[in-house]
Amino acid sequence: MKNEKLIFGVMSGTSLDGIDVVLIKIGNKNIKLIDFAHKPYSNKLANALLLIQKPIHNDLELSIELGLLHAQTTASMINTMLKKLNIYPKKVCCIGYHGQTIRHQPSKKFSVQIGNAHMLAEKTNIAVVADFRNRDIVAGGQGAPLVPSFHQKVFSSRTKNRVIINVGGISNLTYLKIGDKLIGFDCGPGNLLLDYWVQKNKNKNYDDKGKWASTGNIIPNLLIEFMKEPFFQKKPPKSTGRDLFNSCWLEKFDHKKESPEDVQRTLLELTAISIKLAIVRYCNEVDEIFICGGGSKNIFLKNRLEQLTTQKINNTEELGIPSQSVEAVAFGWLANERLNNIPNNSPEITGSSGKRILGITHPA
Ligand SMILES: Nc1ncnc2c1ncn2[C@@H]1O[C@H](COP(=O)(O)OP(=O)(O)O)[C@@H](O)[C@H]1O
Ligand SMILES: [Mg+2]
């Protein structure tokens, strides 16, 4: 059909689980998901990415090499999808390529996503839009979260005030109140501390469905100490990442004598309580809550969120976009806005001094 565009969206989030690729069709009125692929990072690559995120580790050349590897892997995922669907690259308008964040320091005026957009354009013969965050940051914003305006576009309702919770490595929420301004910000750690702790103690990448956490008990004093972290009290605009919530953050607390499953249960409670607090403080009159991101598969966490909010929480799949694809679709949409020269940041969310067009275009 005329006016319909094929676009790829690519996302690699703070959890360091891997690369998500979606192919979407954007029409005048709707966005349709055509295909989704996920490639987990090998343990070797995830460890290298983790290492380079540590503030003391500042290896410029390694970050460039990892960026090239990220682009090559992404290109091969995209080319495989094109072949499978029998689509020529020329038919695709662009790729919205987020890259892998290795530093996010808006107060120092930068956020670094590695991933080589030149290589991705070269290997796919498709234009690439990348580097979405830095223009917003130099305009005084957080450069994050960038997905709330997309949530508004695809998930808002005329009759219900909706909250969208995205539980990735970090958790963020969007409040879509009818007739009111858009609200969105990072709530705190989503999965990344849970992942770190289960990797350390059980040698598993994540706690499947939250089963291990469910065998533990909350350690009240530890939870109180966790919650003293100033980020939780900070008013939006606010964003965070591994720069703050990382292994050092967790290891500075006194939990050596506690059983590992109790620590896991307490970390899960931290994720749940920080989301609940964010809803209580900034989202009045909530009618419906939807969840997306890998954390939506943590059944124990989802149940706990339902208890704390006394609301049934549905998956964004019910609104037409599967929870694992939402962020990648969002970056496809943001790329399309960029190509249309439509300002695609939300100053009310990020705190930047005005509307800006985010994303750098690399021609096919
Ligand atoms: N079956 C599952 N049970 C519990 N947690 C899961 C499951 N599947 C995925 N996850 C969690 O979701 C995370 C990935 O979520 P994702 O939304 O991709 O985050 P990010 O955008 O930060 O990469 C994993 O690191 C893991 O913690
Ligand atoms: Mg991910």
Side-chain angles (χ1 to χ4, degrees), residues 11-20 38-39 41 100 168-169 293-294 324 327:
M11 182 66 196
S12 302
T14 36
S15 74
L16 292 178
D17 62 328
I19 303 174
D20 299 326
H38 172 77
K39 188 171 171 58
Y41 289 144
Q100 180 67 62
Q324 280 289 122
E327 284 217 81

Side-chain angles (χ1 to χ4, degrees), residues 13-17 20 167-169 191 195 206-210 293-295 297-298 324 327:
T14 36
S15 74
L16 292 178
D17 62 328
D20 299 326
V167 188
N191 296 300
D195 287 353
Y206 56 83
D207 179 13
D208 187 29
K209 301 188 183 73
K297 294 196 182 148
N298 187 324
Q324 280 289 122
E327 284 217 81

Side-chain angles (χ1 to χ4, degrees), residues 32 70 78 109 113 139 155 190 219 253 259 290 332 352:
K32 194 173 163 225
H70 188 281
I78 286 177
K109 294 272 175 268
Q113 283 73 45
F155 295 146
I219 308 159
F253 294 96
S259 75
F290 292 88
S352 69

Side-chain angles (χ1 to χ4, degrees), residues 163-349:
V163 169
I164 313 295
I165 311 167
N166 174 33
V167 188
I170 295 295
S171 70
N172 61 276
L173 75 69
T174 302
Y175 183 37
L176 303 165
K177 189 174 181 187
I178 305 160
D180 217 330
K181 75 174 179 39
L182 182 63
I183 290 176
F185 53 90
D186 286 351
C187 310
N191 296 300
L192 50 65
L193 297 173
L194 291 165
D195 287 353
Y196 163 70
W197 195 246
V198 78
Q199 276 157 20
K200 184 173 170 181
N201 290 280
K202 293 272 180 191
N203 203 19
K204 285 184 184 160
N205 283 343
Y206 56 83
D207 179 13
D208 187 29
K209 301 188 183 73
K211 276 190 225 146
W212 187 47
S214 76
T215 64
N217 293 306
I218 298 170
I219 308 159
N221 287 341
L222 186 60
L223 185 59
I224 289 168
E225 290 304 310
F226 285 167
M227 287 307 297
K228 286 183 185 163
E229 164 58 52
F231 179 81
F232 298 120
Q233 299 305 331
K234 217 169 158 184
K235 289 190 178 137
K238 60 175 180 174
S239 64
T240 188
R242 275 186 193 274
D243 308 67
L244 173 61
F245 293 109
N246 51 36
S247 55
C248 297
W249 186 87
L250 178 57
E251 298 299 355
K252 75 182 178 206
F253 294 96
D254 183 17
H255 55 62
K256 307 282 175 294
K257 292 191 202 104
E258 310 290 353
S259 75
E261 62 271 25
D262 289 351
V263 174
Q264 184 76 353
R265 175 66 188 88
T266 309
L267 286 171
L268 184 138
E269 194 68 8
L270 174 68
T271 296
I273 290 272
S274 54
I275 293 170
K276 149 88 180 173
L277 263 182
I279 295 175
V280 168
R281 284 185 185 149
Y282 298 102
C283 318
N284 53 0
E285 300 175 50
V286 176
D287 296 318
E288 292 179 333
I289 304 179
F290 292 88
I291 190 167
C292 57
S296 63
K297 294 196 182 148
N298 187 324
I299 307 294
F300 188 71
L301 173 66
K302 191 164 162 255
N303 290 344
R304 188 68 189 121
L305 279 168
E306 287 187 332
Q307 277 175 351
L308 287 169
T309 58
T310 61
Q311 294 254 8
K312 170 140 182 51
I313 300 180
N314 285 311
N315 198 292
T316 54
E317 190 133 30
E318 308 255 332
L319 301 177
I321 306 185
S323 60
Q324 280 289 122
S325 330
V326 175
E327 284 217 81
V329 176
F331 279 91
W333 177 76
L334 286 164
N336 186 46
E337 298 286 276
R338 195 272 162 263
L339 291 187
N340 291 332
N341 289 322
I342 298 171
N344 49 1
N345 69 335
S346 307
E348 70 274 34
I349 302 290

